[in-house]
Amino acid sequence: MTPTVAPSPSGATAADRLRRLYDVYAAGTGLWTLALFAAVLGHDADVRQVLVLLALLASFGALWLWSAWRLWTEHPGPRHPRRSA
């Protein structure tokens, strides 16, 4: 039995959905980086909080790099292709 991917209700392609996830992972990486800097520079973070922030930063960063790699290898081309008039 071959697994099939259900079509998106919005009609978006797999590349479009992956680009949206790429943006979410990029935003998450940026936010967790800011949170980590604020906690460390504010000198009010304990070790557990810093470790949790590092784990979240590492996971979002890894997912961001993974999605960038997948987009680069399997869906090359412009982000928003031009439409002919």
Side-chain angles (χ1 to χ4, degrees):
M1 185 170 193
T2 305
T4 58
V5 177
S8 173
S10 65
T13 64
D16 292 336
R17 291 190 303 250
L18 189 56
R19 282 187 185 97
R20 276 188 296 216
L21 281 176
Y22 174 84
D23 294 338
V24 169
Y25 296 148
T29 301
L31 288 174
W32 291 122
T33 301
L34 288 175
L36 182 64
F37 282 145
V40 170
L41 294 177
H43 302 291
D44 60 350
D46 60 351
V47 175
R48 184 178 295 168
Q49 182 181 4
V50 171
L51 290 177
V52 167
L53 289 171
L54 279 173
L56 287 167
L57 177 60
S59 62
F60 270 84
L63 288 169
W64 185 29
L65 291 174
W66 172 82
S67 62
W69 174 69
R70 295 294 291 185
L71 283 170
W72 183 58
T73 58
E74 296 198 10
H75 302 288
R79 188 172 185 150
H80 299 290
R82 288 187 200 168
R83 294 186 178 141
S84 57

